[in-house]
Amino acid sequence: HATSCDVLGSCDGETYPFQKKFHSLDFLRENLHLRPRTRLIGAVTRLRSETAFALQKSLRDDGFLQVHTPVLTSNDCEGAGELFNVRSSDGKDFFGTDVDAYLTVSGQLHAEMFACSLGRAYTFGPTFRAEDSQTSRHLAEFWMLEPEMAFATLEDLLDTSEKMLRDCVQHVLTCCENDLHFFETR
């Protein structure tokens, strides 16, 4: 009789609970709880995690401060697309005023304000687009990295961008070798 503390056998985290057969992305979309068990989603998750870490470390090493910008906002920062309008559960404007509230399309305006005060700032967080599209080229939600530098020249921007990308690629090549090999052979 097994109790909740008994170990009944080993479990290989690389293969459980899947057999060595192909599972389509459509199947995984319908079975969200199984996604992280696939080699593909595991590799993508590790790669994304290491990429985010490397980008933020590079910015921090260059004197940038991370700022957290609002997810709910009353401005349309970029004018680049449709906005998700937010209302309270009773259907009224979210902030209780006549001002509309939206899910943010960018933290840029807030990051610029901090950069003007602190020199260098960046935001890295979720952004939203309400375009009506179900293609793989359009995302309703994604994370965007937005570094801002006060009084920077074009040369400063190019140097910072090049260093950040170089640091990131070097880190990912070192830390994600197995996952990159998986993508090459897939």
Side-chain angles (χ1 to χ4, degrees):
H1 181 274
T3 67
S4 61
C5 295
D6 291 336
V7 175
L8 301 177
S10 64
C11 177
D12 181 1
E14 292 290 319
T15 60
Y16 176 81
F18 291 118
Q19 300 170 352
K20 290 186 178 185
K21 69 175 199 168
F22 175 77
H23 294 282
S24 72
L25 293 176
D26 287 335
F27 173 82
L28 294 174
R29 278 187 203 99
E30 294 175 13
N31 297 277
L32 299 178
H33 64 290
L34 299 178
R35 277 189 201 176
R37 293 289 185 178
T38 66
R39 287 191 67 196
L40 174 63
I41 300 302
V44 167
T45 301
R46 285 185 295 274
L47 187 64
R48 180 179 173 172
S49 177
E50 292 299 331
T51 300
F53 171 79
L55 290 169
Q56 292 185 81
K57 182 178 183 325
S58 181
L59 288 169
R60 185 178 192 144
D61 290 349
D62 273 351
F64 284 79
L65 296 172
Q66 182 179 20
V67 296
H68 298 277
T69 59
V71 173
L72 296 177
T73 184
S74 60
N75 63 52
D76 177 4
C77 180
E78 297 178 344
E82 296 296 317
L83 301 167
F84 283 106
N85 195 292
V86 179
R87 302 224 179 263
S88 64
S89 59
D90 60 6
K92 296 183 179 170
D93 291 337
F94 186 79
F95 293 121
T97 67
D98 290 335
V99 176
D100 286 337
Y102 308 99
L103 293 176
T104 188
V105 296
S106 172
Q108 178 183 358
L109 293 176
H110 295 279
E112 286 176 354
M113 176 183 61
F114 277 97
C116 286
S117 298
L118 304 172
R120 293 177 172 210
Y122 75 95
T123 181
F124 185 51
T127 57
F128 304 88
R129 301 291 193 278
E131 281 83 21
D132 185 19
S133 176
Q134 300 296 318
T135 71
S136 62
R137 303 226 187 283
H138 292 85
L139 299 173
E141 175 187 351
F142 56 93
W143 280 56
M144 186 158 53
L145 178 68
E146 300 176 89
E148 296 291 340
M149 297 169 30
F151 312 110
T153 65
L154 179 58
E155 192 70 28
D156 295 332
L157 296 173
L158 292 172
D159 290 346
T160 299
S161 298
E162 181 182 337
K163 181 186 178 302
M164 183 176 59
L165 288 172
R166 192 179 331 105
D167 291 348
C168 181
V169 169
Q170 188 171 27
H171 177 82
V172 167
L173 287 173
T174 302
C175 294
C176 300
E177 186 176 347
N178 291 339
D179 293 323
L180 293 170
H181 178 70
F182 167 74
F183 290 127
E184 288 175 0
T185 59
R186 187 167 182 266

